[in-house]
Amino acid sequence: MPGLITMDDLTNEEIISILDDAEQLLPVAKGEIFLPLLQGRILGNLFFEPSTRTRMSFETAMKRLGGNVVNLGDVKTSSVVKGETLYDTIQMVDGYTDIIAMRHPRQGAAQYASDSANVPIMNGGDGAGHHPTQTMLDLFTIRRAHGTLEGLNVVLAGDLRYGRTVHSLSHALVRFGCNVTLSSPEALRMPEEIISDLRNQGADVNETDDLLSQIVNADVVYMTRIQKERFPDEDEYHKVAGAYKLHARDLDDAKAEMIIMHPLPRVDEIDSSVDSTRHACYFEQAFNGVVTRMSLMCWLLGVKVPSDVNTMGSEI
Ligand code: NCD
């Protein structure tokens, strides 16, 4: 069953169509209108790693559309601790649900699950691999801020080595003709195979460790957390911890419409002084997770989003 494992599973036209449907669904996501497009459907939330936004926004999205959600819950209280394999867990949840959102510490786990499932699997993060549903909400946020996805100057900053959000996002940005600058400490550079993939797609990819010099030309600055849990050695983490910290005073020369994004959670990469600037976009970005995941689930379940939602639903 087609799911969403990497951004390669969607064409540019499909991405745009899902983002257009998400625009339509905004009043439903905000709770202004009730439109039970997914009534009777059940989402299975299988999170084998910590999650706040991804899990809760999937759940909110399904419930806003009139559907239901079953959760694996805390891995420690599930049969995983008894030694159940991922294969067996998926076989079972496949029978309980119509669609599954899954996060797992192992890279490739979502593809593995998808190969043996009958319902669509949505990859909510597989180790340091991919995070395509995050990319969909990131693209939605960028398009709402700039009116387009084409040809923007986007700086991806922080932990580009282990950060799965930037692995998926960089692929998508390049497909829409964005200029991508990769800004990280040397030890956290984007993996070579991803850079060469991006270049093979015709992208002009620049790398630098000097984030601040990139701000003046940027349309988007995408900050990421250093992924402490993925370091094989804690000492290596401490060498790079706190490498980048963005303060409001660093933004004086930024373009007026430049947005600062972050998949969250932040640790110390964005100082709270940035929150009250016109550039801060990360909380809106987190909200956009609901509406984009609503649209994505409709698309994967073959449910058409009406073109004028405002005249369809009932007021709450
Ligand atoms: C990200 C993740 O899990 O990869 N979080 C998220 O889904 N919003 C980023 C992170 O944990 O740093």
Side-chain angles (χ1 to χ4, degrees):
M1 175 66 81
L4 180 58
I5 309 302
T6 76
M7 288 309 288
D8 285 344
D9 294 327
L10 295 172
T11 64
N12 285 14
E13 291 69 31
E14 287 168 337
I15 293 172
I16 295 296
S17 156
I18 293 166
L19 300 189
D20 288 347
D21 284 349
E23 295 278 348
Q24 287 296 320
L25 289 168
L26 271 170
V28 187
K30 288 180 184 156
E32 294 160 6
I33 291 175
F34 182 55
L35 185 66
L37 291 176
L38 297 183
Q39 193 161 30
R41 311 293 182 115
I42 297 182
L43 163 71
N45 259 343
L46 291 188
F47 283 75
F48 298 89
E49 262 195 346
S51 173
T52 304
R53 271 151 296 275
T54 306
R55 187 176 52 76
M56 288 185 72
S57 64
F58 264 120
E59 182 155 354
T60 307
M62 191 45 130
K63 289 182 171 169
R64 289 281 194 214
L65 290 170
N68 271 302
V69 184
V70 291
N71 271 288
L72 174 74
D74 186 349
V75 171
K76 289 194 213 70
T77 59
S78 75
S79 282
V80 174
V81 286
K82 298 183 189 169
E84 183 162 66
T85 61
L86 177 60
Y87 180 85
D88 284 5
T89 307
I90 293 293
Q91 290 311 301
M92 227 183 31
V93 179
D94 189 63
Y96 296 165
T97 62
D98 303 295
I99 188 164
I100 293 174
M102 171 176 159
R103 169 172 290 182
H104 199 279
R106 203 165 66 233
Q107 198 163 334
Q111 184 62 58
Y112 174 79
S114 184
D115 289 343
S116 68
N118 292 308
V119 303
I121 303 279
M122 298 174 289
N123 181 8
D126 60 325
H130 299 266
H131 197 348
T133 72
Q134 177 74 40
T135 292
M136 291 301 289
L137 76 94
D138 293 341
L139 295 177
F140 183 80
T141 305
I142 293 171
R143 196 177 73 156
R144 274 184 79 75
H146 289 292
T148 180
L149 292 175
E150 314 266 340
L152 299 168
N153 293 332
V154 183
V155 181
L156 304 178
D159 185 349
L160 307 185
R161 179 175 184 186
Y162 296 117
R164 54 198 175 193
T165 61
V166 281
H167 296 168
S168 292
L169 182 59
S170 58
H171 277 287
L173 292 170
V174 160
R175 282 166 52 184
F176 286 100
C178 290
N179 306 310
V180 177
T181 301
L182 305 175
S183 185
S184 70
E186 176 64 25
L188 298 179
R189 285 183 57 216
M190 185 71 94
E192 207 50 66
E193 64 273 18
I194 297 186
I195 296 184
S196 63
D197 266 9
L198 301 177
R199 292 202 169 123
N200 286 341
Q201 289 185 56
D204 183 12
V205 181
N206 302 307
E207 285 188 276
T208 175
D209 59 5
D210 181 6
L211 169 62
L212 296 187
S213 68
Q214 300 304 313
I215 289 176
V216 62
N217 284 322
D219 298 306
V220 176
V221 174
Y222 193 101
M223 300 294 290
T224 60
R225 172 180 71 90
I226 298 186
Q227 309 278 298
K228 183 177 184 188
E229 67 276 29
R230 311 246 180 261
F231 281 68
D233 176 351
E234 194 159 334
D235 287 347
E236 292 302 310
Y237 167 73
H238 288 295
K239 282 187 200 156
V240 284
Y244 289 153
K245 283 184 192 154
L246 212 50
H247 286 81
R249 60 173 181 267
D250 301 324
L251 307 176
D252 291 346
D253 298 329
K255 295 184 193 177
E257 305 312 323
M258 184 273 276
I259 54 169
I260 297 173
M261 298 174 67
H262 192 307
L264 303 177
R266 64 175 152 179
V267 180
D268 56 5
E269 337 43 80
I270 302 180
D271 185 75
S272 59
S273 62
V274 176
D275 296 1
S276 53
T277 69
R278 61 179 300 161
H279 306 290
C281 200
Y282 24 91
F283 293 121
E284 188 184 326
Q285 181 186 357
F287 165 76
N288 290 339
V290 175
V291 76
T292 351
R293 290 180 169 119
M294 288 166 77
S295 175
L296 178 67
M297 285 193 285
C298 287
W299 187 78
L300 288 170
L301 290 168
V303 172
K304 197 169 161 22
V305 174
S307 54
D308 191 359
V309 165
N310 281 301
T311 60
M312 296 276 309
S314 50
E315 280 193 26
I316 294 175

